[in-house]
Amino acid sequence: MKKVALLGLVCASMFGGLNASAQEVSYVEDCSQGRLLAPARANWFITAQGGASAFFSNHDRHITLRKRIGSNAEIFAGKWFTPVWGFRFGASGQILRGATHETGAFRDPHSGIVAEGSWGEHLYGERVATLGPEIDLMLNLTNWWCGYNPERVYNAVLHVGGGGYWTFRHNGEDHKWHNAHNRTLFATAGLQNNFALNKHIDLFIDVTATVMDYSSFDRYDIKADNKDMTLALGANFGITYHFSPRGWNCPVTAVCPTWKYTDAEGDELVAQLDNANRKIGDLQRQLDDCLNRPQQDCDCVNALATIYYPINVSTMSNREVTLVQSMAKTMLANPDKKYILTGWADNYTGNDAINTRLRHQRVDGVYDCLIKAGVPAAQLEKRIDANNLTDYGLKGAQFDRAVTIIEAK
């Protein structure tokens, strides 16, 4: 450990002089570098929409478009995983209107003859009600092509998906919808044009196309239309509510300062470099002496982990807490082993009372963190040591402010 610490001092001395006149590196969020996935609880939304749809099947070309316009409604819940893609799932329903022959399975019982077919047969009005689950993949084209902008008002969202419908037919006797005992699969695609009113609410217009499989209509022994695939085009108006929290975390990147030196500054840097080289030579000699010196018999040499502290500080940073929690996993995996925690403070700063208090507070903090992580108290032993951990002198005092964790012999 002493050798590693001395190497650290070498590096610190090499660049210490240069840092005196250097500008500090700044760290900023840079969304151009890509975005992180949002937490599971973020960027959820709920959508409700409704509108009109037009039916396109075998006989529909014989009647006007106005007679083919029906209605549809949908409700979804969904989540954006990134600013570009997400998904939604929910329920979709339609009432479709068209034309069919006299024995069509979904003939409207209140409709008379609406047209003549290709072979001169009479065609009657048709009404089909559908209801079923739907799941869609969503792609925000605006964020994909133009980059993510949380203040953008308009976003174009492409969605593709599918699901299954139960179908219902209208009974002329009781004027109610009845289960047609027919299930049909469908695929859908659309372009949703979103307009943000505020950070939570969007209004949108959605243009959709739905293809349905109608190959199994003949459940009542009624002659079907022999239309294996049927198309419905729709236009919907809707509203989306976005739940909190929203937004994305951009990666943090370092921004280095731009260096411009005058001749005087260049000469000063050269002098600093010469001084650093002299220090390097002196430290190299000290390092050689240290490497040739027999190692002291110190428990810290075999420490499983060492947690360091700034001067007069006994609380751990998030990084040190993560290290202790990782150590806790090792201890829990070895329940038959015991571990000794030792609190240290340097003897070059402060007085004995302050240093003793720091040793106790530091080792108590690590002990409490391990207990909180689930390590049994029976596996742990707390100590303090009034000596210096490394004895590198005042320049190496930062290496004496620590808590060491070793395995009990």
Side-chain angles (χ1 to χ4, degrees):
M1 178 179 294
K2 292 185 178 181
K3 299 175 183 178
V4 174
L6 191 55
L7 284 173
L9 286 176
V10 172
C11 296
S13 299
M14 288 176 60
F15 299 103
L18 296 177
N19 286 339
S21 61
Q23 303 177 36
E24 291 186 358
V25 176
S26 59
Y27 296 88
V28 297
E29 287 191 352
D30 185 2
C31 293
S32 66
Q33 301 297 319
R35 281 161 291 279
L36 301 177
L37 293 178
R41 62 187 180 88
N43 297 312
W44 284 88
F45 62 88
I46 186 170
T47 292
Q49 63 187 56
S53 58
F55 204 20
F56 295 86
S57 61
N58 285 0
H59 298 297
D60 296 333
R61 59 190 176 88
H62 298 292
I63 62 174
T64 63
L65 179 62
R66 182 177 63 84
K67 294 182 179 181
R68 285 182 274 167
I69 295 178
S71 59
N72 59 286
E74 297 170 315
I75 185 168
F76 296 100
K79 172 180 171 58
W80 288 102
F81 289 97
T82 74
V84 175
W85 70 272
F87 84 102
R88 65 181 186 180
F89 58 92
S92 171
Q94 301 185 79
I95 297 180
L96 303 171
R97 299 174 60 200
T100 185
H101 49 69
E102 183 177 6
T103 59
F106 292 92
R107 174 185 167 182
D108 186 352
H110 303 291
S111 172
I113 298 173
V114 295
E116 289 189 358
S118 302
W119 305 99
E121 73 275 20
H122 292 161
L123 299 178
Y124 297 81
E126 180 180 42
R127 280 203 298 173
V128 182
T130 63
L131 178 65
E134 178 181 339
I135 185 168
D136 295 333
L137 177 67
M138 307 184 71
L139 180 67
N140 190 314
L141 301 177
T142 310
N143 284 342
W144 185 19
W145 294 335
C146 304
Y148 171 63
N149 180 2
E151 305 300 326
R152 184 180 289 121
V153 174
Y154 172 77
N155 282 280
V157 177
L158 176 68
H159 58 88
V160 293
Y165 280 145
W166 287 273
T167 57
F168 301 85
R169 61 196 301 267
H170 199 264
N171 191 314
E173 297 178 359
D174 58 9
H175 302 284
K176 295 181 180 179
W177 291 98
H178 293 269
N179 191 347
H181 300 284
N182 177 69
R183 292 174 296 276
T184 180
L185 299 177
F186 70 91
T188 183
L191 181 65
Q192 185 173 297
N193 301 274
N194 292 328
F195 298 89
L197 298 185
N198 53 49
K199 67 178 183 178
H200 288 294
I201 298 176
D202 294 348
L203 296 180
F204 63 84
I205 300 172
D206 192 11
V207 180
T208 62
T210 303
V211 177
M212 292 165 278
D213 176 13
Y214 273 59
S215 60
S216 57
F217 269 15
D218 197 7
R219 292 301 183 95
Y220 289 99
D221 294 325
I222 301 174
K223 181 180 178 182
D225 286 344
N226 296 320
K227 41 192 176 185
D228 292 340
M229 304 299 292
T230 301
L231 173 67
L233 299 180
N236 300 312
F237 295 90
I239 184 171
T240 298
Y241 181 82
H242 298 273
F243 296 98
S244 295
R246 295 187 66 189
W248 311 93
N249 298 322
C250 300
V252 175
T253 59
V255 178
C256 297
T258 301
W259 290 93
K260 295 181 180 179
Y261 297 108
T262 64
D263 291 342
E265 290 172 335
D267 292 340
E268 182 181 355
L269 287 175
V270 171
Q272 291 176 357
L273 182 59
D274 291 339
N275 185 46
N277 287 332
R278 286 192 295 272
K279 291 182 178 180
I280 291 172
D282 181 57
L283 289 170
Q284 182 62 54
R285 287 189 295 274
Q286 296 180 41
L287 178 60
D288 292 340
D289 292 342
C290 182
L291 292 174
N292 295 327
R293 184 188 309 160
Q295 291 189 357
Q296 299 180 6
D297 185 12
C298 175
D299 287 340
C300 62
V301 174
N302 299 316
L304 299 177
T306 303
I307 298 89
Y308 292 100
Y309 299 81
I311 186 172
N312 202 31
V313 172
S314 60
T315 58
M316 293 183 290
S317 66
N318 291 337
R319 181 181 64 182
E320 305 304 331
V321 169
T322 301
L323 173 62
V324 174
Q325 290 173 342
S326 177
M327 194 65 205
K329 296 179 181 178
T330 301
M331 294 178 177
L332 290 171
N334 298 275
D336 57 329
K337 295 182 179 180
K338 294 186 177 181
Y339 301 87
I340 299 173
L341 316 180
T342 305
W344 303 82
D346 74 273
N347 291 314
Y348 306 103
T349 58
N351 54 44
D352 290 340
I354 292 175
N355 289 335
T356 300
R357 174 176 55 82
L358 284 172
R359 294 181 184 107
H360 281 289
Q361 289 176 342
R362 287 167 179 170
V363 75
D364 287 345
V366 175
Y367 178 89
D368 292 342
C369 186
L370 290 170
I371 294 296
K372 186 176 180 181
V375 179
Q379 278 190 266
L380 305 174
E381 178 183 347
K382 292 190 296 181
R383 296 179 182 175
I384 66 167
D385 196 319
N387 296 310
N388 287 322
L389 178 60
T390 61
D391 277 333
Y392 288 145
L394 181 58
K395 290 185 178 181
Q398 63 267 33
F399 299 106
D400 296 321
R401 304 163 190 147
V403 171
T404 56
I405 303 175
I406 66 172
E407 183 180 330
K409 300 290 178 66

